[in-house]
Amino acid sequence: MNIAVVILNWNGILLLEKFLPSVVNYSPQATIYVADNASTDDSISYIKVFFPSVQIIKNESNLGFASGYNEALKHIDAEIYALVNSDIEVTENWLKPILDTFENEPKTAIIQPKILDYKRKEYFEYAGAAGGFIDEYGYPFCRGRIFDTLEKDNGQYDDTREIFWASGACFFIRSSVYKTLNGFDDDFFAHQEEIDLCWRAFNKGYKIKYNSGSVVYHVGGATLQQGHPMKTYLNFRNSLLMLTKNLPKEQLYRILLGRMLLDGIAGIQFLTQGKFKHFWAILKAHGSFYTLFSDNYKKRNEFQESAYYTVKSIVYIYFIRKLKAFNDLFGIK
């Protein structure tokens, strides 16, 4: 199959120096692109000098993750898009298991590899781990990662199985499906746009899978660090937008109200911890959500699948019942 590996870059020359060699060395089947979001460092000149085989697409400004990929992919002709963060180290033969799955399973539209932590390679990494799920209120969690608890990789998720969402850190999708879904939602800018895209795919009957035969290592937070108020703002706002677009109509307002109340509790917790910038970020997120609500409500598909969540409340399970590992949720040893 014709596959394009596309790395989104913004002032990331240090990351390209560190991680682009592994992508080039271990991706003989692919055409490799760097989609540049108007970098002002030496990223472009570095690629031209040291990796002339890598094709460069220049976006006119920093369009973020969602619009950055949407714009770049207009210029790429391939059956499969592999969207790869610039802070990902890939491994030998990482593409083969993914391509084999696409070849043998026509209904599979999106695939995620096993994502381990670059800094602690025996542990899963926050952004995706072994495949993503959500609870009834739209809180995302993963096999291998629930909130901030990361599991050690003991082979417990060495399988291929359906998941609800695949991580944008290393995200494989059929180009035909990407175009059918009109790509990522530009309103999101960054964070949770891949969950929204997967949810829209799920509502249209496409399958999303995790394949542990492909392994990558992710630094995480290299562009916007964990704990940054901007990350808080985008995550809280985009969660509400995602729910607005994808929830079954009969559940929409009940779940939105419940989620907003939970956001309020999170805001109070930030206040008690002295994290005033994060409290303010939640307020701004809700203000932005109210502004965007009408336009995003109009984006709803004709059909929304009701069986979208794996557990009722991951917040209750994690903080009240104190279950920290994915398999514990279902009594799996």
Side-chain angles (χ1 to χ4, degrees), residues 189-191 224-225 227-237 277-278 281 284:
F189 186 76
H191 293 295
L224 187 60
Q225 290 184 351
H228 194 287
M230 184 62 176
K231 187 182 286 283
T232 299
Y233 165 77
L234 290 170
N235 276 327
F236 277 81
R237 185 199 66 172
K277 290 183 178 178
H278 292 273
K284 289 198 298 181

Side-chain angles (χ1 to χ4, degrees), residues 273-292:
Q273 294 171 346
K275 297 180 179 179
F276 302 112
K277 290 183 178 178
H278 292 273
F279 172 76
W280 181 241
I282 293 177
L283 291 181
K284 289 198 298 181
H286 279 229
S288 179
F289 165 67
Y290 299 142
T291 301
L292 294 169

Side-chain angles (χ1 to χ4, degrees), residues 206-264:
Y206 293 112
K207 289 185 178 181
I208 302 143
K209 285 204 166 180
Y210 160 81
N211 189 325
S212 66
S214 175
V215 178
V216 302
Y217 297 94
H218 184 217
V219 174
T223 303
L224 187 60
Q225 290 184 351
Q226 194 73 21
H228 194 287
M230 184 62 176
K231 187 182 286 283
T232 299
Y233 165 77
L234 290 170
N235 276 327
F236 277 81
R237 185 199 66 172
N238 291 351
S239 287
L240 294 171
L241 294 177
M242 178 175 67
L243 291 169
T244 299
K245 292 170 58 181
N246 297 298
L247 280 171
K249 190 172 184 179
E250 63 275 11
Q251 298 173 236
L252 175 60
Y253 293 105
R254 175 180 66 84
I255 296 299
L256 271 179
L257 178 60
R259 178 58 190 261
M260 293 171 79
L261 289 172
L262 289 169
D263 285 357

Side-chain angles (χ1 to χ4, degrees), residues 5-37:
V5 174
V6 189
I7 301 168
L8 192 67
N9 175 68
W10 180 68
N11 289 340
I13 184 172
L14 296 179
L15 295 174
L16 293 172
E17 289 175 346
K18 193 173 188 66
F19 298 109
L20 185 55
S22 73
V23 178
V24 172
N25 291 337
Y26 295 140
S27 309
Q29 313 96 315
T31 303
I32 301 170
Y33 297 81
V34 169
D36 188 74
N37 263 343

Side-chain angles (χ1 to χ4, degrees), residues 92-104:
E92 192 170 0
N93 294 320
W94 70 298
L95 293 178
K96 187 178 185 305
I98 304 294
L99 292 174
D100 286 348
T101 302
F102 278 127
E103 287 274 12
N104 296 323

